[in-house]
Amino acid sequence: MPQYLAEFYPDLKDPRMEASVVVFHQRFSTNTMPQWRLAHPYRYLAHNGEINTVQGNRSWAVARGPLFRSPLLPDLSDILPVVSLTGSDSQSLDNMLELLLIGGLDPMHAMRMLVPPAWQSVDMIDPDLKAFYEYYATHMEPWDGPAGIVLTDGRYVCCTLDRNGLRPARWVITKNRHITVASEAGVWDYLPEDVVKKGKLGPGEMLALDLQTSELLDTKRVDELLKSRHPYKVWLKKGVRYLQTDLIDPRLAAEPFDRDTLALFQKMYNVSAEERDEIIRVLAEDESEAVGSMGDDTPMPVLSKKVRSLYDYFRQQFAQVTNPPIDSLRESIVMSLQTQIGPECNIFAPAQQHAEQIVLSSPVLSQRKLRQIVALADSGVPNEFIDLQYDERLDLKSALSAVCDQAEAAVRNGKIVLLLSDRYLVKGKNPVHALLATGAVHHRLVKTGLRCKCNILVETGTARDAHHFACLIGYGATAVYPYLAYQTLFDLMRKGALKMEAAMRQELGRSYRRGIRKGLFKIMSKMGISTVASYRSAQLFEIVGLSDEVVGMCFEGSDSRIQGADFADLKADADYLAKRAWDPAERVEQGGLLKYMHGGEYHMYNPDVVATLQSAVMTGNYEQYLEFAALVNKRPVSCVRDLLKINPRAAAIPIEEVESESAIFARFDSAGMSLGALSPEAHEALAIAMNRLGARSNSGEGGEDPVRYGTEKNSKIKQVASGRFGVTPEYLINAEVLQIKIAQGAKPGEGGQLPGHKVNDMIARLRFARPGVGLISPPPHHDIYSIEDLAQLIFDLKQVNPRALVSVKLVAEPGVGTVAAGVAKAYADLITISGYDGGTGASPLSSIKYAGTPWELGLAETHQTLRANELRHRIRLQTDGGLKTGLDVVKAALIGAESFGFGTAPMVALGCKYLRICHLNNCATGVATQHNVLRAKYFIGLPDMVVNYFKFVARECREIMASMGIRSFTQLIGHTELLDMLPGETSKQRKLDLSPLLANSGLISNKPQYCVDPRNEPFDKGAMAEKMLDDMKGAIASGSGGEFSYAVNNFHRSIGARISGEIAKRWGNHGMSTAPLIVSLKGSAGQSFGVWNAGGLHLHLEGEANDYVGKGMAGGKIVLKPPARSSFAARDTVIMGNTCLYGATGGELYAAGTAGERFAVRNSGALAVVEGAGDHCCEYMTGGVVCVLGRTGVNFGAGFTGGFAYVLDMERDFVDRYNHELIDINRVSPEGMGIHVQHLRGLIEQHVEATDSAWGAQLINDFRSYIGRFWVVKPKAAAIDSLLENLRRAA
Amino acid sequence: MTDKHLQFLEIPRKDPDKLPIEVRTTEFREIYSQYGAETAAQQAGRCIACGNPFCEWKCPVHNYIPNWLALVNDGKLFEAAELSHQTNSLPEMCGRICPQDRLCEGACTLNDGIGAVSIGAIEKYITDEAFKQGWKPDMSNVVRTGKRVAVVGAGPAGLACADVLARNGVTPVVFDRYPKIGGLLTFGIPPFKLEKDVVEKRREIMEYMGVEFRLNVDVGRDVSFEDIAAEFDAVFLGMGTYGYVKGGFAGEDLPGVHEALPYLISNINRELGIDDAALGFIDMRGKQVVVLGGGDTGMDCNRTAIRQGAGSVTCTYRRDEDNMPGSRRDYKNSKEEGVTFLFNKQPIEIVGSDRVRGVKLVETRLGSPGPRGRRIPEVVSGTEETIEADAVIIAFGFLPSPPDWFVQQQIALHANGRVRVSAAPQHRFQTTNPKVFAGGDMVRGSDLVVTAVFEGREAAQGILRYLQ
């Protein structure tokens, strides 16, 4: 709290204390408890944001310790590791910066190296500058993440932003020669006329001030200084060898395996026919990962009775809330897989020999590249071949030790490349799993200080899908050669089983690698990581089901909470596979991991389960339900909860004494499933059923038809997800709960996708999109890059609909409890913890399989953390993921949940047969399709079936409660003492330790273990908004409109939302448009100015605004103009922050100034005129018109599928700045485009009229000179003549 | 071009063409024609490859149905045949005679109104067509173990067991008391459902695979079990059930009353030109025939009698139409061919003094479910009637018929005569004599061919483990 600063640091009060620079930071404590050791600034820097890559950075800082040498730092051995491994991410970054500064670098140099801009994929970069970054990239991986960093060493003061520009930085220079850089505009009260200049930093930009020379250095100047210090380009040219292959590498497998050898390898490495056909083949045929639907209903590998891949024990970590995922598809410009091979050298002694590296474009090797690398042994890159085969009589641990010994000795002997290989099978020997070997060798080399002298290459049959590669790289592999995947593909080609053009077959390996690369980008971006260098060795996995013995030797430092398989178990698995492999009578396994198959992996929604449930709900016969419940409750151990048994502590009571079914129904929600994924019939049947029960249905992310509002078909929970489809003020006020979907169990850290064939006219109307065009929800919410942002969104929602509870949906992973505590402090009312097993309408199969952890772990952690922080009573806790029976509900309650989400089970009740074809629009049961015939003729679902299902579940709950002697449901919540651990059925299960789930952290139990507060009221009461509403109430009620004026400040957040909510409640989105409330405001508006703006609200702001202006706008008008007496040039000056008009569906915005990054992202109907915009403008746009009267940043129009834009291109370089994938540009010319010329001129005239824009007036004045500089930007699929026609029709 | 994903809607289910009634009722030829390659591909392409393959789940041998449908759709006939044989030793037979409407096709997701994929017809197409094009099981990887196993009974269980053993390098020697292999496949199932050269083709294939057949050998009579046990490393018994369920009413012994199986066998003997003097030929030409029982065997008798030129054929069943166990397809074909069905009728007496004159029936209605879940028919008193008959065929099902020598071989039975197996879980289908395994009808009671195949295959796995 700033008011205590003077008390804590009395020296700050001393009048003799003078400073020319102040660096400060006020934090929102997302950690469980605010602690002084986490206070900013650190020694040199203050950091707003997160370092997503910190785990990898720390790992490399440790490994690199022995390499740092400088005359100024003769001996570092006393202070190793050089960065903190336990403090905050900012602290580690500060440590590293301090090391570099003490070692002799200046702050600009150090920061550009640590947090570089995106340079690999940028075409237009200066070659010398590129060389600077490339040189240092071989010695330091990026410290990436949403980062606004300010720092000073006393001489230089710098501010820098991450490559994605995910944190805002606004600066202002006033006449008193003060320069202020802050993450918001308007942080102190300068007079408008005192402003000399204002601006913002863009992605990857730096602003520096030399206090000695008083020189202000912008990005360009900084880069010029840095690149000219050494002849980096010359060094690289002499030192770097690029391994390029010819475009076509026909020798996919130079020595093809014969069929028997292939079968031997496939059996040894557990490749099934299913994996071959559904995963490997698709990667090559489609150059991307296979897509599937529904969830993962198989046991975690440690619970399975089958031999599962070691990789299956590893769950990909993903960013949620406190740090964002990034968008590897639409913002690929920041992504890179560039990989180099060679020893690392001392960073403080730049020299040409340090540039002697081999550079690969990707860590996925072709055979040719591997051979080239091996051949380099003759030219100074010696390698060591390490055979992973070991005598089957040895134990696995000794075998691993031997591998590590060989590796260590080799590096000591100067070997630079270690090639770990399981390629040469010998009968009587078994392969050490490549992942065990990679992890063990990496850790051994780090411990012995040798890691940075070598590179680990892995030649393995175990790597086939992107997750496999991610694991190997994440535990230290530099590059991977997946020979068995190539051999398998070669065989498919040989058999004629590949559906590709003959010409494409030549490039089979390349196609496969492209698919893997996309998958790797996706996996990295889930953690918000842009470059593979930062991902390598970062160990971004949670291990579920390996013992400490294994983790300690191979994966030290990874999260692993419940023990499990040890070396003996893994060896037994390998022995089993080897025995089958060498037996020619044994066939390659058919599969069963993706789909149910007799004799294959157990599936929790197998045909028996589905069929019995359906017959029970159709007949309404509880006996039949019990058959279903018995199938589920007595299945082979498949979930963590299956190893927990209820242990009643009281005598049974008559069931009549247990609380009623209807009280229990109120705890049931249906999980978010969008209209779009589901047919309208299924979606409505579900809503009706839940409403009849007194439970709640969830709209999912796809809007809802307004005719359903106020009826039995209304969804009480309205979802707000990253695509913001159909999120209008009217939608929001027709909800009891507003759910922010941060992540989804089936694919956490990723966006959604609705394939084009499911977007029919109705879906397009509700989502404000174009029929037939696929819709993608971005991986991040573009307005949530931090917990503060989430708090802001929660506030936005509570402003527009104060009666609604706000819920935040998270997915279980280590640390979710901390995130949840932050979410509770951000004033959410409800938190959902989803398990990995949640369903989806469409997702890459590898996401369904490999991300997210069991909800049991996440729920327990969350419940415990919330209790420890005395937050549990303030917030409702829900869980979902594979819940099927009353027993599931009771166990979830005992672990800590008070509310329960059901997705798949009610779908099955409606006729879904778990076909896993939702993404194909051909659901034969009519549940998950928009196909008219299938919906009309074959959908059999009735609300009663769902009603029956929930009645059964509630009845079973009551019976269990009666048997436990429990009367009231709240007596269950969090009472883990009523659960006992079962011993387990298999060797691996018996080694699990579930005590962390059942621990109550030694907390005294008199605090409520469930929510008792009616709602979680924000600290900010929004007094200004309440006053405005008071003033306008009459005008809204009568629909008469009126004029009002106010002064605003930047702590007035979400201005307008409160009024828009009231308007929408009375008049809907547009009902008041004809008699608007005209509100004049002066000053610097806080975040989310004009959010969820409804028709009939016109906001005129003289001053400036921050992020999220007009977000979710449905109608009305927002006008921004600079203060009347400003002396700066408005057209060059930023007037609003980032992510404005996000998800807007209508209305108009005029701004006499420029906008920040991601302007009009996911715009689907608003009209906007601005005078310049940052990067990623019009991203994901599906409708509306955007007119930019000035320069735009890079990556304009990525994912742009509807609406159109006009862009003024004075520098004639727009062609390099737009994303060419989906849009094309046409020059506006008077010939043949008269109607567009007229339209554009009209827009500029309206702009001038609204804002008094000087630039706009000049354009109109000399319109003929400027007209040729304008582009019309439109989706490739749209005809230019149709644009205005569509616009008229939409209006 | 049709949308691949909507092929199931755009192309309706099409069964292979049937012979016209007038032709098929006069001959003992199979009545279904074969798909052409294009139709087979199209029909196979109707499969939507469910995430939950209900067909495979319901199939007693758990055929990889969606997978081989996809291969047929892609024109990969030999691969489909290879895959089909991974789970089934006699796919061409199962494709013909399985009651698919109660198994795979009944469970097919598309069976809810859209029209199930014609799985049976495609299964038959795959193997028939692959054989025609010269495909044979790939035995190149088989490593001979030198072990030899005697298989008693060349019916579906025995053949399936021999198939799996041969593929695993064990030499099976199959004994059968009949002159041809197949057991009921040859002698029980009428040729209009399964032509006998299909079985002959299978014999050829199995001999190619290294299976030795010793026919016309009745174990226990022509050769002693001790000799077999001494000669072989293990023995599999798949001897079927040849006892008959009796009606237990008056007149069952009258001339003109026949058990179903001798009737069917006599007909097939005649078709195959086998002369079995003991059995003779039972001819229904011109007779008023009443078939008692609504199971698959009853249907076979009905349709055999029609083809023999019976004057009329009436089939009685004691439950209603919906509860009749016989395959829907056979029921439909029987009706088409002119059989009259009487439901809810239970015979209480066969009337006549020197020979059959008629059958006395009483009406029934369905009462409460019995121990196995099926509703038990109750007699409605006062509803007796007699229908005229010159011949009556009793098709009430089969009972175990264990030979006497089981006792001294320590092969224990259940109370109802079924062979007791799998006491120790590690050797599935092992009898109480460790060296002897058994499967099929003699273990589970009279059941489908496909369940016998399954048990024969499972028993082979048990034997392989036993021999290790």
Side-chain angles (χ1 to χ4, degrees), chain A residues 408-660:
Chain A
E408 185 183 336
V411 181
R412 289 195 194 283
N413 288 328
K415 298 288 173 67
I416 290 174
V417 169
L418 303 178
L419 178 59
L420 309 182
S421 174
D422 59 22
R423 163 70 181 75
Y424 303 93
L425 294 179
V426 181
K427 198 163 186 180
K429 286 187 169 189
N430 283 354
V432 173
H433 195 284
L435 181 57
L436 293 175
T438 303
V441 167
H442 169 76
H443 283 286
R444 167 73 73 86
L445 295 176
V446 168
K447 284 195 185 105
T448 48
L450 300 167
R451 180 64 185 92
C452 293
K453 296 187 174 172
C454 69
N455 306 92
I456 302 172
L457 301 193
V458 187
E459 177 181 39
T460 180
T462 62
R464 279 100 60 178
D465 71 25
H467 175 71
H468 303 156
F469 289 86
C471 288
L472 289 166
I473 296 167
Y475 285 99
T478 299
V480 180
Y481 172 57
Y483 66 87
L484 186 53
Y486 292 144
Q487 293 282 3
T488 301
L489 284 170
F490 185 87
D491 183 58
L492 286 172
M493 181 171 71
R494 187 164 54 186
K495 287 195 299 191
L498 290 174
K499 294 188 182 93
M500 1 175 52
E501 304 284 322
M504 292 298 291
R505 285 185 207 141
Q506 293 286 306
E507 303 179 39
L508 198 53
R510 188 169 70 142
S511 301
Y512 167 80
R513 284 190 292 277
R514 281 189 180 156
I516 294 292
R517 274 183 234 168
K518 270 188 217 165
L520 282 174
F521 277 143
K522 180 199 72 184
I523 293 167
M524 284 158 46
S525 65
K526 243 184 247 196
M527 264 313 284
I529 291 179
S530 306
T531 69
V532 75
S534 303
Y535 189 79
R536 189 168 289 119
S537 311
Q539 308 199 142
L540 292 169
F541 298 90
E542 179 186 14
I543 296 171
V544 179
L546 291 182
S547 69
D548 284 353
E549 176 191 36
V550 178
V551 176
M553 182 162 182
C554 306
F555 313 114
E556 193 182 350
S558 295
D559 283 301
S560 171
R561 297 183 282 185
I562 55 170
Q563 299 291 326
D566 59 16
F567 282 123
D569 294 314
L570 298 179
K571 167 112 168 65
D573 284 355
D575 287 348
Y576 170 84
L577 292 177
K579 185 158 175 287
R580 287 194 81 245
W582 291 108
D583 181 350
E586 294 282 357
R587 290 194 192 88
V588 170
E589 294 267 10
Q590 194 61 31
L593 204 51
L594 302 174
K595 293 178 174 182
Y596 164 85
M597 196 164 273
H598 177 77
E601 185 56 283
Y602 182 79
H603 283 258
M604 288 180 262
Y605 270 114
N606 62 38
D608 250 337
V609 170
V610 170
T612 33
L613 175 58
Q614 291 185 335
S615 100
V617 299
M618 276 192 240
T619 57
N621 180 336
Y622 185 64
E623 300 303 314
Q624 270 183 308
Y625 168 80
L626 289 180
E627 276 176 41
F628 155 79
L631 280 177
V632 174
N633 295 340
K634 293 178 185 156
R635 68 189 166 204
V637 172
S638 304
C639 282
V640 173
R641 60 184 173 279
D642 295 350
L643 283 172
L644 298 173
K645 179 175 156 288
I646 292 173
N647 176 20
R649 299 287 171 95
I653 52 171
I655 193 160
E656 297 72 37
E657 292 178 26
V658 177
E659 78 175 53
S660 69

Side-chain angles (χ1 to χ4, degrees), chain A residues 287-309:
Chain A
E287 300 194 350
S288 61
E289 292 184 291
V291 171
S293 44
M294 305 307 287
D296 180 6
D297 64 337
T298 57
M300 285 265 150
V302 68
L303 301 176
S304 173
K305 291 180 177 165
K306 297 276 152 191
V307 173
R308 295 275 294 270
S309 162

